[in-house]
Amino acid sequence: MEEVQKKRMLSGIKPSGDLTLGSYLGAVKNWAERAEQYDCFYFMADLHAITVRQNPQDLRRRTLEQLAQYIACGLDPEKNTLFVQSHVHQHAELGWVLDCYSMFGELSRMTQFKDKSAKNADNINAGLFTYPALMAADILLYQPDLVPVGEDQKQHVELTHVIARRFNGIYGDVFKIPEPFVPKVGARIMSLTNPTAKMSKSESEDAGSVLLMSPPEVIMKQFKRAITDSDTENCVRYDKENKPGVANLMTIYSAVTGQSYDQIEEEFAGQGYGKFKPVVGEAVVEHLRPIREETQRLLKDKAYLESVYQAGAQKASYVAEKTLRKVYKKVGFLAK
Ligand code: TYM
């Protein structure tokens, strides 16, 4: 019987900080849940990480740790292609080509560029500016059907569409136009100390960011201290506008337990935040425990991790090269 070709899915994370509950619930958890249905490509976006200055040792450590975390979160390297972005040279090469098909005005409008340049005023480098063109290259090289990302990356995937359509408009159907996939629950996890700001890994020393590798007692402390709102209601009710802290905790609880907001409201009816916060902390600790333990186990086996990323790069490079060759031919580069 003819085997049906699986749809392809691709995504990446910058190893610019230790992985947080935000990147887990917004991204990796959803990847793992679909790993069986799709032909999946996942990478550590180290080329993207250096748009902000990195300590070299930390970047290396985090890249390997992120790979171990991908596997520990359920991405089986036998079934998914897991690789380091800088190991597949086609990303940088297509990135350059797509720089030439991305407009200054478009890149200037990216909210992440505006945010990051405000935060890194002493290092507003060209890479930070052209980053979405590299991200478009990451995606388009693999001709994926679906790109699962959190809310904050949706704008970059939309720009990928614009760039791909522009290129296809000139040269014919070179790139498949992928769909972003943003999860219903968990697409934007907020900081526990400032529920109006995104939980971010670059500010991972911050008490508002829950790290996947943190010990349970640290996570429990963070949840017990989570900022709930200064309303007098003291009641677990989902109201994102007026009770962003409680809403964020409910989102986290919903994502790790699978319960709906209605069910959570019912479970905690008549109980205040003091009861709710440690229960959420407990649920997160138990959810993350196997991931943390498996990551620690995998990190002891460097030879295995090396074999995974080497095989991953080989497979990714094979697929990426096909697209790159087509692009080079279309734009008029002389064949080697
Ligand atoms: P990055 O590394 O900032 O984040 C990785 C993924 O995690 C999601 N995420 C969140 N989701 C919910 N709540 C949060 N607080 C939260 N923080 C992060 C992000 O939306 C993202 O899906 N440019 C990308 C990496 C990248 C990429 C790609 C992604 C490079 N090339 C190609 C997809 C396809 C980035 O910086 O994500």
Side-chain angles (χ1 to χ4, degrees):
M1 214 171 65
E2 205 183 314
E3 206 185 312
V4 183
Q5 183 100 41
K6 278 187 184 174
K7 285 194 171 181
R8 188 171 285 167
M9 188 151 91
L10 166 133
S11 201
I13 298 184
K14 293 189 302 281
S16 53
D18 296 324
L19 277 198
T20 69
L21 188 62
S23 11
Y24 172 69
L25 295 179
V28 193
K29 182 167 178 281
N30 306 294
W31 305 352
E33 282 166 5
R34 281 156 192 85
E36 297 286 331
Q37 288 157 266
Y38 288 85
D39 177 22
C40 301
F41 288 74
Y42 293 117
F43 60 98
M44 283 62 80
D46 54 351
L47 296 178
H48 285 271
I50 62 163
T51 52
V52 172
R53 205 69 77 226
Q54 300 292 327
N55 171 309
Q57 279 91 9
D58 286 344
L59 181 58
R60 250 188 297 277
R61 171 188 65 76
R62 287 199 214 103
T63 306
L64 198 68
E65 186 170 289
Q66 204 171 296
L67 172 65
Q69 287 172 319
Y70 283 5
I71 302 171
C73 287
L75 299 176
D76 178 351
E78 298 290 325
K79 296 184 185 149
N80 301 274
T81 305
L82 309 179
F83 64 98
V84 181
Q85 187 187 22
S86 64
H87 292 180
V88 181
H89 60 84
Q90 290 86 353
H91 288 247
E93 290 181 57
L94 184 62
W96 168 252
V97 174
L98 296 186
D99 273 350
C100 304
Y101 294 80
S102 308
M103 297 301 141
F104 182 84
E106 289 164 352
L107 296 170
S108 312
R109 282 194 288 277
M110 294 294 109
T111 44
Q112 202 167 70
F113 172 68
K114 292 189 219 164
D115 288 353
K116 293 222 162 153
S117 39
K119 278 190 196 146
N120 301 283
D122 55 344
N123 183 23
I124 307 177
N125 60 72
L128 196 63
F129 186 65
T130 61
Y131 171 119
L134 177 61
M135 180 157 160
D138 299 337
I139 296 172
L140 298 174
L141 273 176
Y142 298 90
Q143 313 277 5
D145 299 279
L146 210 63
V147 181
V149 287
E151 189 68 48
D152 62 331
Q153 292 297 325
K154 210 172 146 207
Q155 196 186 30
H156 291 160
V157 181
E158 284 162 1
L159 181 61
T160 301
H161 286 196
V162 173
I163 298 171
R165 288 215 178 88
R166 177 173 296 133
F167 197 92
N168 285 354
I170 305 170
Y171 303 106
D173 277 346
V174 177
F175 298 126
K176 186 175 224 165
I177 311 291
E179 283 307 316
F181 171 82
V182 178
K184 284 205 179 69
V185 177
R188 192 168 173 81
I189 301 294
M190 311 309 274
S191 158
L192 296 191
T193 48
N194 176 9
T196 55
K198 189 185 80 161
M199 184 182 285
S200 149
K201 60 178 138 55
S202 339
E203 280 126 52
S204 48
E205 308 79 43
D206 176 359
S209 290
V210 176
L211 304 185
L212 293 198
M213 298 306 286
S214 277
E217 53 289 5
V218 172
I219 297 181
M220 281 309 292
K221 203 188 268 175
Q222 286 180 294
F223 275 95
K224 282 184 188 158
R225 289 189 184 160
I227 301 287
T228 33
D229 316 277
S230 51
D231 61 68
T232 46
E233 199 182 39
N234 195 19
C235 134
V236 178
R237 188 168 60 78
Y238 191 83
D239 179 352
K240 209 169 164 188
E241 274 299 283
N242 301 306
K243 294 155 73 78
V246 178
N248 188 40
L249 291 179
M250 288 179 77
T251 300
I252 294 172
Y253 194 60
S254 168
V256 297
T257 63
Q259 291 193 59
S260 68
Y261 295 140
D262 284 347
Q263 286 169 323
I264 299 170
E265 284 175 8
E266 213 168 291
E267 184 184 343
F268 292 94
Q271 301 181 50
Y273 305 147
K275 277 265 167 51
F276 182 49
K277 290 198 277 189
V279 176
V280 181
E282 203 61 64
V284 169
V285 163
E286 287 319 313
H287 190 92
L288 296 183
R289 189 187 300 281
I291 298 173
R292 179 170 47 91
E293 288 174 359
E294 181 63 0
T295 302
Q296 283 163 341
R297 190 189 70 76
L298 287 164
L299 281 171
K300 291 194 188 113
D301 195 349
K302 297 270 186 312
Y304 169 69
L305 293 175
E306 201 177 294
S307 73
V308 168
Y309 68 65
Q310 281 174 352
Q314 209 174 6
K315 187 156 170 232
S317 192
Y318 177 79
V319 176
E321 183 61 23
K322 280 193 190 167
T323 306
L324 187 70
R325 213 171 288 168
K326 206 165 165 185
V327 167
Y328 275 10
K329 191 168 170 196
K330 291 283 186 188
V331 299
F333 293 165
L334 187 64
K336 275 199 260 189

